[in-house]
Amino acid sequence: MTYLMSASFAPVRFFRGRKPPRENSAWRPARDSSAKRDLFLLVLLGAAFLAQLTGALLPALVPFLAGSAGGLLLDLYLLRRQPRLISVLGKLRFDVTTRQLLRDVLIVVALVRLPGVDPLEERPLALALLAGYFLHFSCQAVALLVRRRRVLPIVTRNIDTSALRLSPAPPRLLARQPSRRLLYFALPATAGLLATAGTADMVWGVLGTSATLLLFLAGTVRLAAWLLPGKRPANEQQTLEWLDKWLAEYRPTVAMYFSGGPTSAYQANMWLSTLSALDGRPLIVLRERFMVQKIEATDVPIVCIPKVAHLMHLEHSSLKAMLHPANSGKTSQVLRIPSIKHAFINHGESDKLSSCNPYAKAYDEVWVAGPAARERYQLADIGVDDHDVVEVGRPQLAPIRPCAGPPAADGFTTVLYAPTWEGWTDDPGNTSIILAGENIVRALLADPKVRLLYKPHPMTGSVDPRAAQADQRIRQLIAEANARRSGPRPGPEAAAELARRTVELDELTTSAFRPSADEMERMLLQSSPEGDREAAVAAATAAWEKAYWASFPEWEHQVITGPRPALYSCFNQAHLLISDVSSVVSDWLTSEKPYSVANTTGLSEEEFRTGFPTVRAATILTPDASGVPALLESVRDPGKDTLVQARAELKTHLLGPADPPSIVRFNQAVQELCAKAEARQVRQARMGSAFREASELRGTGRAESEERDPESNGSEDAVNA
């Protein structure tokens, strides 16, 4: 499970009311170095063409050969190592095809002008080059047809799709890399023609161009094999008919609907374990094709339906309820299906305004963790009726262990500093990392009995470069503090165990595909899962986390990035959390361990506690972090911890009661929502039946009237009469 984020993605002005932050100086040297390299490569490419042109026109053999060979080799290097520069050249209409065509034209010019080469013998070589380009574009046309036929209207995972006649993808060089294919296949012709120019022997040119023609011809023929009936997949109509049949056989009851960008997949992934634990037959419905591979390991069937027209096939399925962890522009497209009830479950709750989005009133129900969120919607007054708010708890929090008491007197106090990111809005206090982060870390590192776990938000610095600068300085402080510490370290067997557990977990959670695999081939490989894969993943994850923490000495500070270890695993290691106003605080409260929130809003402590309910049981830190020593003392000495009862009460207020468990309450809410959908379908069926009966009665009455007075049937003859 990746880091939790609570801010919305609404595009707003980032730095309203103040000067934009200065550019991150840490990034500037890297950008400058990249720009210098790009400029050098462009100059080198231009020099190669200039040398080739000069050698062809003078004529001068040495600069011609050097420019031709050097330009081709440089193009091959750019294609493999500098895709960004290749993209820039393409936007300037100087792409690989144009450059290779210019190179070949200059070679033909040189063959005409260089002494020792008979112009009559040169003409067949020029024709062979033209034939090569014809075959290249023919191959590209076939590749386009193959790719189009291999794009189905839906994408699936964890579903047996053998009825769709799926097949492995053709080689990537033939189907998806026209630029690389042109350079590779043209290499023999270029080498042969250059050899002819240098030796005046036409044999080399004939051999080279013949080899190039054979490569293009063989590639085109092989690629065309995917257009034969044996490798032709189901068409759009057949695929949609298969989808209807599969939905009728699987009979899903509840689905999680998700749409978003590449970095938003965590919003859906945090609900996977909850979805798989529900009664009935769950389903995951996606809208973006790339998102299919962003969803983490799960046994729940996944269907991606990009087009709105195809999405309507869900209306005639057994689906009753749909859960929405996030809002998106495409959400409105599925809300129009009348046979399905929709609930907004969000991807984390906090006191921020983004947790009360007015879009929520579009759903049938809004599911929240506890009474605090219900009150938040009432205070926000955004159009969500109180009777549509359902308290279901937070079932994802089950892995978080409760407080086991203070740290050992002779051990280390583990502190997790997990600041949120700066957010899209300019609200003060979104993140503490800019104003207070370094002060907090310095104060923690000054205590010799503290072990710091620093887990920055993955989007830190994406809006405000000052946050990225502060993050880099904090990492430097931690590295320097570790350099000053020493002590026993785990033996090599700990690292070996972690490596073994990593391989084991990767095999269960990572899908390995060959480079040529396309969407259809991945569908073919990711069919129905074998066995209880989710249980195996859970066991492997627990084993990996145990090995991970055992591989580090207990005195060493850690900077933790990436999806592993998960945030909740860090929770279980820590005695104290220091964070910001975010969903991280709400989740931490399930452990009832001490926590602190940095107040960088400019509000007084009283105003801060009043405005943000999640901090009512927290120790409030000012930006100078002067309260850190007293905070650590209260964690180590339970007698000085005056917020124990407040945390227990706030936990219930934020997350709801512990009994019945959250997953039970969540499952019950799903069943009740499905029952409401069924009741609505029954009412709609009755209304439809009554409407048909009324229509039939009107038709019968009209027929009887016409029988009694056939001349007044509204016909033209009756009117004229």
Side-chain angles (χ1 to χ4, degrees), residues 95-141:
D95 55 12
V96 172
T97 303
T98 304
R99 295 196 297 275
Q100 182 62 23
L101 181 59
L102 176 59
R103 191 175 295 115
D104 288 338
V105 168
L106 292 177
I107 290 175
V108 172
V109 172
L111 290 177
V112 173
R113 296 182 60 81
L114 285 172
V117 179
D118 188 349
L120 294 178
E121 296 178 348
E122 177 266 336
R123 291 175 185 171
L125 298 180
L127 293 175
L129 279 178
L130 291 176
Y133 278 97
F134 172 78
L135 290 177
H136 164 68
F137 289 115
S138 298
C139 186
Q140 183 61 16

Short mmCIF file of all heavy atoms in Angstrom, two decimals, residues 95-141:
data_model
loop_
_atom_site.label_atom_id
_atom_site.label_comp_id
_atom_site.label_asym_id
_atom_site.label_seq_id
_atom_site.Cartn_x
_atom_site.Cartn_y
_atom_site.Cartn_z
N ASP A 95 12.85 14.06 -38.18
CA ASP A 95 12.82 12.78 -37.50
C ASP A 95 13.79 11.80 -38.15
O ASP A 95 14.54 12.14 -39.07
CB ASP A 95 11.40 12.22 -37.50
CG ASP A 95 10.82 12.12 -38.90
OD1 ASP A 95 11.58 12.26 -39.88
OD2 ASP A 95 9.60 11.90 -39.02
N VAL A 96 13.76 10.55 -37.66
CA VAL A 96 14.71 9.53 -38.12
C VAL A 96 14.54 9.26 -39.60
O VAL A 96 15.53 9.14 -40.34
CB VAL A 96 14.51 8.23 -37.30
CG1 VAL A 96 15.36 7.11 -37.90
CG2 VAL A 96 14.90 8.46 -35.85
N THR A 97 13.30 9.17 -40.08
CA THR A 97 13.07 8.90 -41.50
C THR A 97 13.65 10.01 -42.37
O THR A 97 14.30 9.75 -43.40
CB THR A 97 11.57 8.75 -41.77
OG1 THR A 97 11.03 7.71 -40.94
CG2 THR A 97 11.31 8.40 -43.22
N THR A 98 13.43 11.25 -41.96
CA THR A 98 13.97 12.38 -42.74
C THR A 98 15.49 12.36 -42.75
O THR A 98 16.12 12.58 -43.80
CB THR A 98 13.47 13.70 -42.14
OG1 THR A 98 12.03 13.70 -42.12
CG2 THR A 98 13.96 14.88 -42.96
N ARG A 99 16.08 12.08 -41.61
CA ARG A 99 17.55 12.07 -41.54
C ARG A 99 18.14 10.93 -42.36
O ARG A 99 19.14 11.11 -43.06
CB ARG A 99 18.01 11.96 -40.08
CG ARG A 99 17.63 13.17 -39.24
CD ARG A 99 18.42 13.21 -37.95
NE ARG A 99 18.16 12.08 -37.08
CZ ARG A 99 17.16 11.99 -36.22
NH1 ARG A 99 16.28 12.98 -36.12
NH2 ARG A 99 17.03 10.93 -35.45
N GLN A 100 17.52 9.76 -42.30
CA GLN A 100 18.03 8.63 -43.07
C GLN A 100 17.84 8.87 -44.57
O GLN A 100 18.72 8.53 -45.39
CB GLN A 100 17.33 7.33 -42.65
CG GLN A 100 17.81 6.08 -43.35
CD GLN A 100 19.28 5.78 -43.10
OE1 GLN A 100 19.85 6.21 -42.11
NE2 GLN A 100 19.91 5.05 -44.02
N LEU A 101 16.71 9.46 -44.95
CA LEU A 101 16.48 9.78 -46.36
C LEU A 101 17.51 10.79 -46.86
O LEU A 101 18.07 10.64 -47.97
CB LEU A 101 15.07 10.32 -46.55
CG LEU A 101 14.65 10.68 -47.98
CD1 LEU A 101 14.74 9.45 -48.89
CD2 LEU A 101 13.24 11.25 -48.00
N LEU A 102 17.81 11.81 -46.05
CA LEU A 102 18.82 12.79 -46.43
C LEU A 102 20.19 12.13 -46.55
O LEU A 102 20.96 12.41 -47.49
CB LEU A 102 18.86 13.91 -45.39
CG LEU A 102 19.93 14.99 -45.58
CD1 LEU A 102 19.78 15.68 -46.94
CD2 LEU A 102 19.87 16.01 -44.45
N ARG A 103 20.47 11.23 -45.64
CA ARG A 103 21.75 10.53 -45.68
C ARG A 103 21.88 9.70 -46.96
O ARG A 103 22.92 9.69 -47.61
CB ARG A 103 21.87 9.65 -44.43
CG ARG A 103 23.25 9.06 -44.19
CD ARG A 103 23.31 8.31 -42.87
NE ARG A 103 23.11 9.21 -41.75
CZ ARG A 103 22.06 9.17 -40.93
NH1 ARG A 103 21.10 8.28 -41.11
NH2 ARG A 103 21.97 10.04 -39.94
N ASP A 104 20.82 9.00 -47.32
CA ASP A 104 20.86 8.17 -48.52
C ASP A 104 20.94 9.02 -49.79
O ASP A 104 21.62 8.65 -50.76
CB ASP A 104 19.62 7.27 -48.57
CG ASP A 104 19.68 6.14 -47.54
OD1 ASP A 104 20.81 5.81 -47.11
OD2 ASP A 104 18.63 5.61 -47.17
N VAL A 105 20.26 10.16 -49.82
CA VAL A 105 20.34 11.05 -50.98
C VAL A 105 21.76 11.54 -51.18
O VAL A 105 22.29 11.57 -52.31
CB VAL A 105 19.35 12.23 -50.82
CG1 VAL A 105 19.64 13.30 -51.87
CG2 VAL A 105 17.91 11.75 -50.94
N LEU A 106 22.41 11.92 -50.09
CA LEU A 106 23.80 12.38 -50.18
C LEU A 106 24.73 11.25 -50.63
O LEU A 106 25.70 11.49 -51.35
CB LEU A 106 24.25 12.95 -48.84
CG LEU A 106 23.58 14.26 -48.42
CD1 LEU A 106 24.06 14.69 -47.04
CD2 LEU A 106 23.84 15.36 -49.44
N ILE A 107 24.41 10.02 -50.22
CA ILE A 107 25.22 8.88 -50.68
C ILE A 107 25.07 8.70 -52.19
O ILE A 107 26.05 8.47 -52.91
CB ILE A 107 24.83 7.60 -49.92
CG1 ILE A 107 25.28 7.70 -48.45
CG2 ILE A 107 25.44 6.37 -50.58
CD1 ILE A 107 24.82 6.53 -47.60
N VAL A 108 23.84 8.83 -52.69
CA VAL A 108 23.62 8.70 -54.13
C VAL A 108 24.34 9.82 -54.88
O VAL A 108 24.97 9.59 -55.94
CB VAL A 108 22.10 8.73 -54.43
CG1 VAL A 108 21.86 8.79 -55.94
CG2 VAL A 108 21.43 7.50 -53.84
N VAL A 109 24.27 11.04 -54.35
CA VAL A 109 24.99 12.17 -54.98
C VAL A 109 26.48 11.88 -55.02
O VAL A 109 27.17 12.13 -56.03
CB VAL A 109 24.69 13.47 -54.22
CG1 VAL A 109 25.60 14.60 -54.73
CG2 VAL A 109 23.23 13.86 -54.36
N ALA A 110 27.02 11.35 -53.94
CA ALA A 110 28.45 11.06 -53.89
C ALA A 110 28.84 9.98 -54.90
O ALA A 110 29.89 10.06 -55.55
CB ALA A 110 28.83 10.62 -52.49
N LEU A 111 27.99 8.98 -55.05
CA LEU A 111 28.29 7.91 -56.01
C LEU A 111 28.34 8.46 -57.44
O LEU A 111 29.09 7.98 -58.28
CB LEU A 111 27.25 6.80 -55.91
CG LEU A 111 27.31 5.94 -54.63
CD1 LEU A 111 26.17 4.92 -54.62
CD2 LEU A 111 28.64 5.22 -54.53
N VAL A 112 27.51 9.46 -57.71
CA VAL A 112 27.51 10.06 -59.05
C VAL A 112 28.78 10.88 -59.27
O VAL A 112 29.37 10.87 -60.36
CB VAL A 112 26.26 10.92 -59.25
CG1 VAL A 112 26.32 11.69 -60.57
CG2 VAL A 112 25.00 10.05 -59.22
N ARG A 113 29.24 11.59 -58.23
CA ARG A 113 30.33 12.53 -58.40
C ARG A 113 31.71 11.93 -58.13
O ARG A 113 32.71 12.44 -58.62
CB ARG A 113 30.12 13.74 -57.48
CG ARG A 113 28.86 14.54 -57.84
CD ARG A 113 28.72 15.76 -56.93
NE ARG A 113 29.88 16.66 -57.06
CZ ARG A 113 30.04 17.55 -58.03
NH1 ARG A 113 29.11 17.66 -58.99
NH2 ARG A 113 31.10 18.33 -58.08
N LEU A 114 31.78 10.87 -57.34
CA LEU A 114 33.08 10.29 -57.05
C LEU A 114 33.65 9.60 -58.30
O LEU A 114 32.90 8.91 -59.02
CB LEU A 114 32.98 9.27 -55.91
CG LEU A 114 32.80 9.86 -54.49
CD1 LEU A 114 32.52 8.76 -53.50
CD2 LEU A 114 34.04 10.65 -54.07
N PRO A 115 34.93 9.75 -58.55
CA PRO A 115 35.53 9.08 -59.72
C PRO A 115 35.61 7.57 -59.51
O PRO A 115 35.71 7.08 -58.38
CB PRO A 115 36.93 9.71 -59.79
CG PRO A 115 37.23 10.13 -58.39
CD PRO A 115 35.93 10.55 -57.80
N GLY A 116 35.53 6.84 -60.59
CA GLY A 116 35.66 5.39 -60.53
C GLY A 116 34.34 4.66 -60.44
O GLY A 116 34.30 3.44 -60.53
N VAL A 117 33.21 5.40 -60.23
CA VAL A 117 31.90 4.76 -60.13
C VAL A 117 31.12 5.09 -61.40
O VAL A 117 30.88 6.25 -61.72
CB VAL A 117 31.13 5.26 -58.89
CG1 VAL A 117 29.76 4.59 -58.82
CG2 VAL A 117 31.93 4.99 -57.63
N ASP A 118 30.75 4.06 -62.14
CA ASP A 118 30.02 4.22 -63.39
C ASP A 118 28.59 4.66 -63.09
O ASP A 118 27.86 3.96 -62.36
CB ASP A 118 30.02 2.92 -64.17
CG ASP A 118 29.45 3.09 -65.58
OD1 ASP A 118 28.86 4.16 -65.86
OD2 ASP A 118 29.59 2.15 -66.38
N PRO A 119 28.11 5.80 -63.64
CA PRO A 119 26.74 6.26 -63.39
C PRO A 119 25.69 5.24 -63.79
O PRO A 119 24.64 5.15 -63.17
CB PRO A 119 26.64 7.54 -64.21
CG PRO A 119 28.05 8.02 -64.34
CD PRO A 119 28.89 6.77 -64.43
N LEU A 120 25.98 4.46 -64.84
CA LEU A 120 25.01 3.44 -65.26
C LEU A 120 24.86 2.35 -64.20
O LEU A 120 23.78 1.78 -64.04
CB LEU A 120 25.45 2.83 -66.59
CG LEU A 120 25.44 3.79 -67.79
CD1 LEU A 120 25.96 3.08 -69.04
CD2 LEU A 120 24.04 4.35 -68.03
N GLU A 121 25.95 2.04 -63.51
CA GLU A 121 25.87 1.04 -62.45
C GLU A 121 25.26 1.60 -61.17
O GLU A 121 24.76 0.85 -60.33
CB GLU A 121 27.28 0.50 -62.16
CG GLU A 121 27.90 -0.24 -63.35
CD GLU A 121 29.31 -0.71 -63.02
OE1 GLU A 121 29.85 -0.26 -61.98
OE2 GLU A 121 29.85 -1.53 -63.79
N GLU A 122 25.34 2.91 -61.05
CA GLU A 122 24.81 3.54 -59.83
C GLU A 122 23.28 3.58 -59.83
O GLU A 122 22.65 3.55 -58.77
CB GLU A 122 25.38 4.96 -59.74
CG GLU A 122 24.87 5.79 -58.57
CD GLU A 122 23.68 6.65 -58.98
OE1 GLU A 122 23.55 6.95 -60.18
OE2 GLU A 122 22.87 6.98 -58.09
N ARG A 123 22.66 3.64 -61.02
CA ARG A 123 21.21 3.76 -61.09
C ARG A 123 20.48 2.58 -60.45
O ARG A 123 19.50 2.79 -59.72
CB ARG A 123 20.78 3.94 -62.54
CG ARG A 123 21.20 5.30 -63.12
CD ARG A 123 20.88 5.38 -64.59
NE ARG A 123 21.39 6.63 -65.17
CZ ARG A 123 21.40 6.89 -66.47
NH1 ARG A 123 20.91 6.00 -67.32
NH2 ARG A 123 21.89 8.06 -66.92
N PRO A 124 20.89 1.33 -60.70
CA PRO A 124 20.18 0.23 -60.03
C PRO A 124 20.26 0.31 -58.51
O PRO A 124 19.31 -0.07 -57.81
CB PRO A 124 20.91 -1.01 -60.56
CG PRO A 124 21.51 -0.58 -61.85
CD PRO A 124 21.89 0.85 -61.66
N LEU A 125 21.38 0.82 -58.00
CA LEU A 125 21.50 0.96 -56.55
C LEU A 125 20.51 2.00 -56.02
O LEU A 125 19.91 1.82 -54.95
CB LEU A 125 22.93 1.35 -56.18
CG LEU A 125 24.02 0.34 -56.55
CD1 LEU A 125 25.39 0.86 -56.13
CD2 LEU A 125 23.75 -1.00 -55.90
N ALA A 126 20.36 3.09 -56.76
CA ALA A 126 19.38 4.11 -56.35
C ALA A 126 17.96 3.55 -56.38
O ALA A 126 17.15 3.81 -55.48
CB ALA A 126 19.49 5.33 -57.26
N LEU A 127 17.66 2.75 -57.40
CA LEU A 127 16.34 2.12 -57.46
C LEU A 127 16.14 1.13 -56.31
O LEU A 127 15.04 1.02 -55.76
CB LEU A 127 16.17 1.41 -58.81
CG LEU A 127 16.09 2.33 -60.04
CD1 LEU A 127 16.04 1.49 -61.32
CD2 LEU A 127 14.87 3.23 -59.95
N ALA A 128 17.21 0.42 -55.95
CA ALA A 128 17.11 -0.51 -54.82
C ALA A 128 16.84 0.23 -53.52
O ALA A 128 16.07 -0.23 -52.67
CB ALA A 128 18.40 -1.33 -54.72
N LEU A 129 17.46 1.41 -53.37
CA LEU A 129 17.19 2.22 -52.18
C LEU A 129 15.72 2.65 -52.14
O LEU A 129 15.06 2.59 -51.09
CB LEU A 129 18.09 3.46 -52.17
CG LEU A 129 19.52 3.28 -51.65
CD1 LEU A 129 20.27 4.59 -51.77
CD2 LEU A 129 19.51 2.81 -50.21
N LEU A 130 15.19 3.08 -53.28
CA LEU A 130 13.78 3.47 -53.34
C LEU A 130 12.87 2.29 -53.02
O LEU A 130 11.86 2.43 -52.32
CB LEU A 130 13.45 4.03 -54.72
CG LEU A 130 14.09 5.38 -55.07
CD1 LEU A 130 13.76 5.76 -56.51
CD2 LEU A 130 13.60 6.46 -54.11
N ALA A 131 13.24 1.10 -53.52
CA ALA A 131 12.45 -0.10 -53.22
C ALA A 131 12.48 -0.40 -51.72
O ALA A 131 11.49 -0.84 -51.13
CB ALA A 131 12.99 -1.28 -54.02
N GLY A 132 13.64 -0.15 -51.09
CA GLY A 132 13.73 -0.36 -49.65
C GLY A 132 12.79 0.55 -48.88
O GLY A 132 12.12 0.12 -47.92
N TYR A 133 12.71 1.82 -49.30
CA TYR A 133 11.78 2.73 -48.63
C TYR A 133 10.33 2.32 -48.88
O TYR A 133 9.48 2.44 -47.98
CB TYR A 133 12.01 4.17 -49.11
CG TYR A 133 13.16 4.84 -48.40
CD1 TYR A 133 14.43 4.88 -48.97
CD2 TYR A 133 12.98 5.41 -47.15
CE1 TYR A 133 15.49 5.49 -48.32
CE2 TYR A 133 14.03 6.02 -46.49
CZ TYR A 133 15.29 6.06 -47.07
OH TYR A 133 16.33 6.65 -46.41
N PHE A 134 10.05 1.84 -50.07
CA PHE A 134 8.69 1.35 -50.36
C PHE A 134 8.32 0.20 -49.42
O PHE A 134 7.23 0.17 -48.85
CB PHE A 134 8.59 0.91 -51.81
CG PHE A 134 7.28 0.23 -52.15
CD1 PHE A 134 6.14 0.98 -52.35
CD2 PHE A 134 7.21 -1.15 -52.24
CE1 PHE A 134 4.93 0.36 -52.64
CE2 PHE A 134 6.01 -1.77 -52.53
CZ PHE A 134 4.86 -1.01 -52.74
N LEU A 135 9.26 -0.75 -49.24
CA LEU A 135 8.99 -1.87 -48.34
C LEU A 135 8.90 -1.40 -46.89
O LEU A 135 8.12 -1.95 -46.10
CB LEU A 135 10.08 -2.93 -48.50
CG LEU A 135 10.06 -3.71 -49.82
CD1 LEU A 135 11.25 -4.67 -49.87
CD2 LEU A 135 8.75 -4.48 -49.97
N HIS A 136 9.69 -0.40 -46.54
CA HIS A 136 9.63 0.14 -45.17
C HIS A 136 8.23 0.70 -44.89
O HIS A 136 7.63 0.40 -43.84
CB HIS A 136 10.69 1.21 -44.99
CG HIS A 136 10.46 2.08 -43.78
ND1 HIS A 136 10.59 1.60 -42.50
CD2 HIS A 136 10.10 3.40 -43.67
CE1 HIS A 136 10.32 2.58 -41.64
NE2 HIS A 136 10.03 3.68 -42.33
N PHE A 137 7.71 1.51 -45.79
CA PHE A 137 6.39 2.09 -45.57
C PHE A 137 5.30 1.03 -45.69
O PHE A 137 4.25 1.14 -45.03
CB PHE A 137 6.16 3.24 -46.54
CG PHE A 137 6.99 4.46 -46.24
CD1 PHE A 137 7.96 4.89 -47.13
CD2 PHE A 137 6.82 5.15 -45.05
CE1 PHE A 137 8.74 6.01 -46.84
CE2 PHE A 137 7.59 6.27 -44.76
CZ PHE A 137 8.56 6.70 -45.66
N SER A 138 5.52 0.01 -46.52
CA SER A 138 4.55 -1.10 -46.59
C SER A 138 4.51 -1.84 -45.26
O SER A 138 3.43 -2.20 -44.76
CB SER A 138 4.94 -2.05 -47.72
OG SER A 138 4.91 -1.40 -48.97
N CYS A 139 5.68 -2.08 -44.70
CA CYS A 139 5.75 -2.74 -43.40
C CYS A 139 5.07 -1.89 -42.33
O CYS A 139 4.37 -2.43 -41.46
CB CYS A 139 7.21 -2.99 -43.03
SG CYS A 139 7.44 -3.95 -41.52
N GLN A 140 5.23 -0.59 -42.41
CA GLN A 140 4.59 0.29 -41.44
C GLN A 140 3.08 0.26 -41.59
O GLN A 140 2.35 0.30 -40.58
CB GLN A 140 5.12 1.72 -41.61
CG GLN A 140 4.58 2.73 -40.62
CD GLN A 140 4.93 2.38 -39.18
OE1 GLN A 140 5.81 1.56 -38.93
NE2 GLN A 140 4.22 2.97 -38.25
N ALA A 141 2.58 0.17 -42.81
CA ALA A 141 1.13 0.08 -43.02
C ALA A 141 0.58 -1.21 -42.45
O ALA A 141 -0.48 -1.22 -41.80
CB ALA A 141 0.83 0.17 -44.52
#
